[in-house]
Amino acid sequence: MSTFAKLTPRTQRNLGVLFTAGLLFWASLASLLPTLPLYVKSIGAPDDQLGMVMGAFAIGLLLFRPQAGQTADQQGRKIVLLIGISAATLAPVCHLLTQSIPVLMLIRAFHGLSIAAFTTAYSSLVVDLAPPENRGELIGYMSLVNPIGMALGPALGGYLQELTTYAPVFVMSSILGLISMTCAMFVKAPPVMYAPQDQKEKDQFWQLLISDRIRVPTITMLLVGIAFGAIATFVPLYIKDSGVGLNPGLFYTAAAITSFLTRFVAGKASDRYGRGRFITAGLLGYAISMLVLWQATDANQFLLAGAIEGFGGGTFLPIMIALVADRCQPFERGRIFGLFVGGFDLGIALAGPILGLVSNIVGYRSLYLVAACVAFAGLIVFMTLSSKSVADSFRFALGYGKDPYAVSKVG
């Protein structure tokens, strides 16, 4: 934490308030993870409709993500941050107003807006405030809001549901969002930086998407998003169907613990040793966790799969954000983050209906074999296409080469 101590008091305060808001935001969102699939199932939805409801979350992500990035660059990060937290505050209680599948899909799409706005603004703010030479370290520390929130939220939601009914869980989620928004009001965002006139034509959506520096990270995030969708949507149902007697919230808690421990060290190490080897390790962790889920037959194996998935996510996601931050200028950061993380959103959107159909045909167990293949595909894409050539990509992915697309200092 010596790096944090070297920051100015104003920056320390900003990061502290931002961290608290982020922690409460993710706890709010994660408190519904073990509850929502069971709630939708309880109102009579089959697996394919359940997948559609859960996948509709990503529709809001996909529709709003580009606008969130553009607004963050042009109007400032804070307004986008507050929009995201507002959606996270309102959406949970709206689930209690209907049992109609189409209406629940609309509510889920609105809820998806929350992550689109919040993660774009939060990541941009952290990178704005972080010194380039310590970027990976500070992103790693600030991204701890995700595993801590993902540890607290599901445990609270799962146990509250067991003690009461579904309604208090949704109300608790909204209250956590409201406290998060109160904290976010005190964030002091850096001033907006505008693109030079000769750069504006290069910043159009498709020009950014097809650029070498962004295309492969976006494709990799898409494939990881599909694997993550299998975790977020079907694990509670798989655990219940297997009859192992495990609270599904504990799966997410196990993932959050290892994700927390990993993020604490991986970001700083990536500043020193480069991003590639850590992204590769994270992708491998995702793939192995899906294979363990495929073979899981008791509670300990489910918890092991959660722990490995947490290692994968805790390594891959923050270091991939640092990689993309290395590859962009401040005036385009919001749009590029919006586009790049949009690949993850699309993966989640595809995971719900596609994997729901797979589960109807071959069952939950074989679904995770399919997810493992998708995660391995992401690993292959990164290891062969992340640099100027296949050979250079292998070297970079294994930590023996520099990132040719970096525009700022990176270890």
Side-chain angles (χ1 to χ4, degrees):
M1 286 294 186
S2 58
T3 297
F4 189 81
K6 295 176 183 177
L7 301 174
T8 66
R10 177 186 174 90
T11 301
Q12 290 178 357
R13 286 193 299 271
N14 261 332
L15 290 175
V17 173
L18 187 61
F19 186 94
T20 305
L23 177 61
L24 292 165
F25 173 85
W26 284 112
S28 167
L29 218 65
S31 65
L32 301 182
L33 279 175
T35 301
L36 191 57
L38 300 176
Y39 172 72
V40 177
K41 195 78 171 175
S42 73
I43 63 177
D47 281 352
D48 55 344
Q49 291 187 12
L50 168 66
M52 292 173 65
V53 171
M54 300 301 289
F57 187 87
I59 295 175
L61 284 166
L62 290 168
L63 291 178
F64 192 73
R65 183 78 75 178
Q67 184 60 46
Q70 184 172 346
T71 303
D73 283 339
Q74 296 178 351
Q75 304 297 323
R77 323 295 195 202
K78 184 174 179 178
I79 182 64
V80 179
L81 189 78
L82 292 173
I83 290 171
I85 300 176
S86 298
T89 302
L90 294 172
V93 292
C94 292
H95 288 82
L96 299 174
L97 304 179
T98 182
Q99 292 190 350
S100 165
I101 296 300
V103 177
L104 283 172
M105 290 176 64
L106 290 175
I107 294 170
R108 289 295 291 162
F110 172 69
H111 205 177
L113 181 155
S114 66
I115 289 190
F118 180 87
T119 54
T120 299
Y122 186 90
S123 298
S124 299
L125 275 168
V126 171
V127 176
D128 288 345
L129 295 168
E133 64 274 14
N134 301 114
R135 179 175 289 154
E137 181 180 3
L138 281 174
I139 289 174
Y141 293 154
M142 292 298 291
S143 71
L144 290 172
V145 296
N146 181 273
I148 297 174
M150 294 288 280
L152 295 174
L156 288 173
Y159 285 118
L160 186 59
Q161 178 202 331
E162 290 180 357
L163 292 173
T164 57
T165 60
Y166 293 112
V169 181
F170 290 109
V171 173
M172 179 190 69
S173 178
S174 287
I175 291 173
L176 290 172
L178 183 62
I179 302 172
S180 172
M181 185 161 56
T182 303
C183 293
M185 292 287 189
F186 294 95
V187 173
K188 304 295 184 184
V192 176
M193 296 182 64
Y194 296 100
Q197 191 64 37
D198 61 355
Q199 184 70 28
K200 291 183 178 180
E201 290 186 1
K202 301 178 183 178
D203 288 343
Q204 299 303 311
F205 178 86
W206 291 112
Q207 280 82 357
L208 290 174
L209 180 60
I210 64 175
S211 66
D212 292 339
R213 60 186 174 134
I214 303 301
R215 184 181 65 256
V216 171
T218 302
I219 293 171
T220 307
M221 289 286 279
L222 166 67
L223 296 170
V224 170
I226 294 174
F228 180 82
I231 296 290
T233 303
F234 296 103
V235 161
L237 300 172
Y238 182 24
I239 291 174
K240 184 177 180 180
D241 185 67
S242 67
V244 299
L246 176 69
N247 176 352
L250 294 178
F251 173 92
Y252 298 107
T253 300
I257 291 171
T258 53
S259 182
F260 173 87
L261 296 173
T262 301
R263 291 169 195 246
F264 226 89
V265 298
K268 184 175 183 178
S270 78
D271 286 332
R272 182 173 180 180
Y273 300 110
R275 317 294 190 203
R277 68 181 63 181
F278 297 95
I279 294 172
T280 298
L283 288 166
L284 190 60
Y286 262 114
I288 293 174
S289 70
M290 300 300 152
L291 291 177
V292 175
L293 276 173
W294 172 45
Q295 293 294 308
T297 56
D298 59 43
N300 288 333
Q301 290 174 341
F302 278 104
L303 291 175
L304 175 63
I308 298 172
E309 190 273 334
F311 164 80
T315 306
F316 171 79
L317 292 172
I319 308 305
M320 185 63 90
I321 289 172
L323 176 77
V324 172
D326 296 337
R327 295 180 173 191
C328 63
Q329 301 286 355
F331 57 78
E332 61 182 358
R333 196 166 283 148
R335 278 162 292 172
I336 285 182
F337 279 177
L339 174 62
F340 144 74
V341 184
F344 191 72
D345 305 340
L346 179 58
I348 296 174
L350 293 173
I354 292 175
L355 296 180
L357 181 61
V358 170
S359 71
N360 280 340
I361 296 172
V362 298
Y364 297 122
R365 183 177 301 278
S366 297
L367 177 156
Y368 287 99
L369 177 59
V370 175
C373 293
V374 173
F376 274 115
L379 177 62
I380 292 170
V381 167
F382 181 74
M383 293 192 71
T384 58
L385 300 174
S386 58
S387 191
K388 298 286 188 178
S389 67
V390 173
D392 288 340
S393 295
F394 264 102
R395 282 193 289 271
F396 176 66
L398 296 176
Y400 297 107
K402 296 289 186 180
D403 182 5
Y405 303 114
V407 296
S408 57
K409 184 184 187 308
V410 55

